[in-house]
Amino acid sequence: MEQYNNIRKNDVIGMIKNLLSYFEKKNSVDSDAVEEIVRLLIRNDVGPKTSRALVESITDSKYKPIDRLKKNIVELLRSIDRKLSLPNEGVSTVLIVGANGVGKTTTVINLASALSQQGKKILVIDLDPQGNATTGLGLSNTEQSDQTIYGILNGTMAINNVIKNTKFEGLDLITSNVDLSGLEVETAGDNDRAFILKAKLAAYLNDSSASYDYILIDCPPSLSLLTVMALVSSNSLLVPLQTEFFALEGLTQLMKTIERIKVNLNPELEIQGILLTMYDRRNKLSSQVEQEARDYFKDKVYQTVIPRNVRLSEAPSHGVPVLVYD
Ligand code: ADP
Ligand code: MG
């Protein structure tokens, strides 16, 4: 990861040079130029704010004198360079994804369902207060009950008493509801709180007869306590990556967090794979993001990509995975 960050830093300096030499050869800004810049921004994982400003400034300035444009670009890129040179950004809450989601819950639901149809025994833990995996698998996220993941994490419930069967053979679920959003504040005084889920799971797996092949945890979108709990409890990570313009930006932040957790809290943590989601073959950006992701993360990126498909987005409202709905 360290190495990866260094490469990136050098890339930005290279990028500034590339851009300038690119404009050296051009005397007007056309759609090719904008496309080239977008490609560079994606490859260099420039922050969304700067990227947007840069693309806007370029698109707006089709008729501006090229020299002024060059000055704008250099100024903007300087600010990126400063940003990347910050010594240590510290641990802050970073969104893994934009407002619309990258397909975490959709992946959990459909992976769980596919595995259980192959005869595996699966436990899904819904660790998102929004409870989308809960409703997506046909259970309620509104009924008043302590029999949820919140009950487990606040110590009032044992895992045994909270696991619910779904209507799908071999697929069990620990539900979630909005109560879970209080956990972070309620456990503020507990120094070991990042380990609560891990301890509960270990105790359950040690002395219960249940034998799951896989436990899948659906995380909330932010890198909050809940996500840290999940990262501490897992040995394998699957990272959905939406094939959209700013996708790699979020991913880099996530990778940094994963690396920190690995070093400090959970040495067993490994990235199983990166899954490209909502892939649209007709959209050039999808294949660009795919290329960038494969260049960076090599064979960590699954060959299989999940296409953008309306059946996938309709299925949860019927409380079933797409394998059942379609
Ligand atoms: P997250 O859990 O990461 O927030 P979701 O799985 O809830 O993301 O997906 C976000 C939205 O995108 C949902 O409305 C979902 O139905 C939709 N969606 C997810 N994957 C696809 C896909 N491959 N094609 C079309 N829509 C999708
Ligand atoms: Mg979700």
Side-chain angles (χ1 to χ4, degrees):
M1 195 52 20
E2 196 54 53
Q3 204 183 359
Y4 169 65
N5 284 336
N6 286 341
I7 293 170
R8 282 199 42 221
K9 210 178 272 177
N10 292 338
D11 271 1
V12 170
I13 295 159
M15 168 177 164
I16 296 174
K17 287 192 186 139
N18 277 347
L19 265 181
L20 289 179
S21 74
Y22 185 83
F23 281 105
E24 218 63 69
K25 287 180 243 141
K26 292 237 159 202
N27 39 23
S28 73
V29 182
D30 51 19
S31 59
D32 274 0
V34 173
E35 213 171 280
E36 170 71 8
I37 288 158
V38 169
R39 208 176 59 76
L40 282 165
L41 292 172
I42 293 174
R43 193 171 70 212
N44 291 286
D45 202 12
V46 170
K49 226 170 114 189
T50 315
S51 298
R52 233 171 256 138
L54 193 50
V55 172
E56 265 162 29
S57 122
I58 288 157
T59 341
D60 286 355
S61 55
K62 283 200 173 122
Y63 307 106
K64 271 188 207 159
I66 199 85
D67 280 342
R68 228 172 76 208
L69 184 57
K70 259 166 52 181
K71 227 178 99 202
N72 283 354
I73 291 172
V74 172
E75 268 163 28
L76 279 160
L77 291 175
R78 279 219 185 95
S79 72
I80 303 168
D81 200 30
R82 266 202 303 279
K83 189 180 125 205
L84 288 182
S85 308
L86 283 176
N88 208 329
E89 286 165 34
V91 188
S92 56
T93 306
V94 182
L95 288 185
I96 299 176
V97 294
N100 288 328
V102 283
K104 292 183 300 298
T105 302
T106 307
T107 303
V108 165
I109 291 174
N110 290 289
L111 187 60
S113 133
L115 287 168
S116 66
Q117 286 190 15
Q118 287 170 16
K120 304 283 185 202
K121 218 160 172 273
I122 309 295
L123 175 64
V124 168
I125 301 179
D126 188 349
L127 199 61
D128 186 343
Q130 293 183 71
N132 293 338
T134 299
T135 51
L137 287 169
L139 294 177
S140 167
N141 65 358
T142 51
E143 74 180 348
Q144 281 295 317
S145 162
D146 278 343
Q147 292 186 329
T148 64
I149 186 67
Y150 175 66
I152 295 170
L153 297 175
N154 76 8
T156 53
M157 284 283 156
I159 291 190
N160 291 336
N161 304 327
V162 172
I163 293 178
K164 293 174 187 144
N165 298 129
T166 66
K167 56 192 167 204
F168 310 103
E169 174 88 44
L171 205 177
D172 293 345
L173 173 68
I174 297 179
T175 64
S176 172
N177 63 22
V178 72
D179 293 344
L180 185 59
S181 56
L183 189 79
E184 180 134 17
V185 173
E186 290 155 20
T187 56
D190 178 355
N191 287 335
D192 290 330
R193 61 190 185 148
F195 293 91
I196 300 174
L197 179 62
K198 186 188 172 95
K200 298 276 181 185
L201 275 176
Y204 168 71
L205 293 174
N206 266 339
D207 58 30
S208 102
S209 53
S211 54
Y212 289 106
D213 292 301
Y214 297 99
I215 298 177
L216 303 181
I217 305 177
D218 188 25
C219 283
S222 62
L223 285 172
S224 60
L225 170 68
L226 291 167
T227 304
V228 172
M229 280 180 166
L231 290 171
V232 167
S233 311
S234 307
N235 43 27
S236 181
L237 267 177
L238 202 156
V239 185
L241 179 70
Q242 188 176 354
T243 40
E244 293 232 313
F245 184 37
F246 294 118
L248 288 172
E249 162 77 7
L251 190 58
T252 312
Q253 299 293 352
L254 177 62
M255 291 300 168
K256 283 185 198 154
T257 306
I258 290 169
E259 199 50 32
R260 263 188 225 124
I261 300 237
K262 197 173 150 78
V263 170
N264 297 314
L265 302 173
N266 182 8
E268 281 166 38
L269 191 63
E270 289 298 340
I271 296 174
Q272 189 72 34
I274 295 169
L275 178 67
L276 300 176
T277 63
M278 297 184 230
Y279 193 93
D280 186 350
R281 280 189 203 287
R282 291 159 305 176
N283 185 342
K284 223 164 144 192
L285 197 54
S286 273
S287 53
Q288 278 174 354
V289 173
E290 175 181 19
Q291 199 50 54
E292 307 300 342
R294 293 197 191 281
D295 286 348
Y296 271 149
F297 298 107
K298 311 284 179 205
D299 51 8
K300 279 286 176 205
V301 182
Y302 291 114
Q303 285 305 318
T304 304
V305 302
I306 308 296
R308 186 173 282 284
N309 181 329
V310 70
R311 307 294 276 177
L312 264 172
S313 55
E314 283 171 1
S317 62
H318 300 270
V320 293
V322 77
L323 286 178
V324 179
Y325 176 64
D326 207 20

